[in-house]
Amino acid sequence: MKKGILLIISGFAGSGKGTIVKRLLSEYDNYAVSVSATTREPRPGEEDGREYFFVTREKFEEMIADDEFLEYAKYVDNYYGTPRKYVNRMLDEGKDVILEIEQQGALQVKAKRPDALLMFVMPPSVQEIYNRLRKRGTETEEVIMKRMRQGAREAGVIENYDFLIINDDLDECVQNVHDTVRCSKYAAVRNKAMIDKIKSEFNDFLNM
Ligand code: 5GP
């Protein structure tokens, strides 16, 4: 069976990346999502093992020491990390595995796994990012401004991603992400086994 693609989705707060991931999982059967470990407190409605594995700082540091993470990062005073085992198992089973992670982690994965596919999701304008954060109504103006400043910093790294997906119309955006994953399967970097096979066949053929 052909291995799946490791798909990284990052985006500004308010980009709608969480909704896009949920839609991909419910509309297509080729995806699996990785559940991260974090040291942050669960928010109301979040369940251990569903949104995150909520662990203590001691436990997280033990997992780092045991090399259990594909990547990890500190983000706003808390650790977040991707357990490696589940990701590898799902990739071996042919699933396209989604990591919804921030940029430091995304770049760590890119360095280790050149065949990972990095997508950055964003609304069509900065004004739209601000409007969406306000519309949520869950944060104070101060927190919204903190996220806007964080967004400005994150904008500096977008060029390291493979694809930029604009989330203007949600249906169109989900379709675009899925189409991009499908096309990316044909990239030479993800077909090394086929290239090696053809080289070895040429070798055998010419030496016959
Ligand atoms: P939140 O606390 O809002 O759930 O997540 C904060 C940020 O951490 C988001 O940008 C989210 O994508 C990112 N994140 C979640 N899990 C991981 C992870 O395993 N590794 C890294 N590097 N970032 C993560």
Side-chain angles (χ1 to χ4, degrees):
M1 186 199 291
K2 204 161 186 295
K3 270 182 94 160
I5 283 190
L6 185 55
L7 171 62
I8 294 180
I9 299 187
S10 304
F12 302 124
S15 62
K17 58 187 190 300
T19 311
I20 294 166
V21 172
K22 283 198 194 99
R23 288 275 302 265
L24 288 171
L25 288 168
S26 70
E27 287 172 28
Y28 305 99
D29 58 11
N30 55 306
Y31 297 104
V33 70
S34 159
V35 178
S36 298
T38 184
T39 58
R40 90 149 158 71
E41 290 295 314
R43 294 186 186 131
E46 286 185 335
E47 245 176 57
D48 187 43
R50 191 180 62 191
E51 279 80 12
Y52 286 103
F53 295 108
F54 295 99
V55 299
T56 61
R57 183 165 293 255
E58 291 70 37
K59 171 73 182 161
F60 199 100
E61 284 169 353
E62 206 178 291
M63 290 170 82
I64 296 174
D66 292 342
D67 197 26
E68 288 184 35
F69 290 116
L70 172 60
E71 61 73 38
Y72 69 92
K74 217 172 203 181
Y75 181 87
V76 197
D77 301 333
N78 280 299
Y79 280 125
Y80 294 83
T82 306
R84 183 200 309 275
K85 237 189 204 160
Y86 175 82
V87 170
N88 286 342
R89 195 174 81 229
M90 287 295 126
L91 289 174
D92 286 344
E93 287 181 16
K95 291 284 187 189
D96 298 316
V97 181
I98 304 173
L99 311 185
E100 189 201 319
I101 63 177
E102 53 69 64
Q103 297 180 340
Q104 304 165 63
L107 297 184
Q108 284 178 46
V109 177
K110 186 179 166 139
K112 278 189 213 161
R113 313 265 276 248
D115 59 334
L117 179 61
L118 275 68
M119 286 194 200
F120 197 89
V121 178
M122 66 178 191
S125 68
V126 167
Q127 187 62 47
E128 184 61 23
I129 296 173
Y130 180 70
N131 293 348
R132 286 187 194 182
L133 287 176
R134 289 209 61 177
K135 221 193 280 170
R136 265 195 207 168
T138 50
E139 277 113 347
T140 61
E141 186 65 21
E142 191 193 331
V143 172
I144 291 175
M145 286 314 292
K146 207 169 151 188
R147 287 176 173 236
M148 293 301 288
R149 280 191 287 276
Q150 172 76 21
R153 282 192 293 275
E154 288 173 356
V157 188
I158 299 173
E159 275 150 273
N160 293 296
Y161 281 70
D162 298 310
F163 291 97
L164 180 61
I165 308 279
I166 306 294
N167 183 11
D168 194 357
D169 175 87
L170 182 65
D171 287 336
E172 205 177 296
C173 178
V174 171
Q175 187 67 52
N176 284 342
V177 170
H178 182 66
D179 289 346
T180 307
V181 170
R182 222 173 48 81
C183 292
S184 297
K185 297 196 177 201
Y186 301 106
V189 69
R190 296 187 187 90
N191 286 283
K192 275 187 109 42
M194 185 63 200
I195 298 169
D196 288 345
K197 173 178 168 300
I198 221 77
K199 280 185 188 163
S200 128
E201 282 178 13
F202 261 123
N203 226 358
D204 292 348
F205 183 87
L206 293 173
N207 288 324
M208 255 188 332

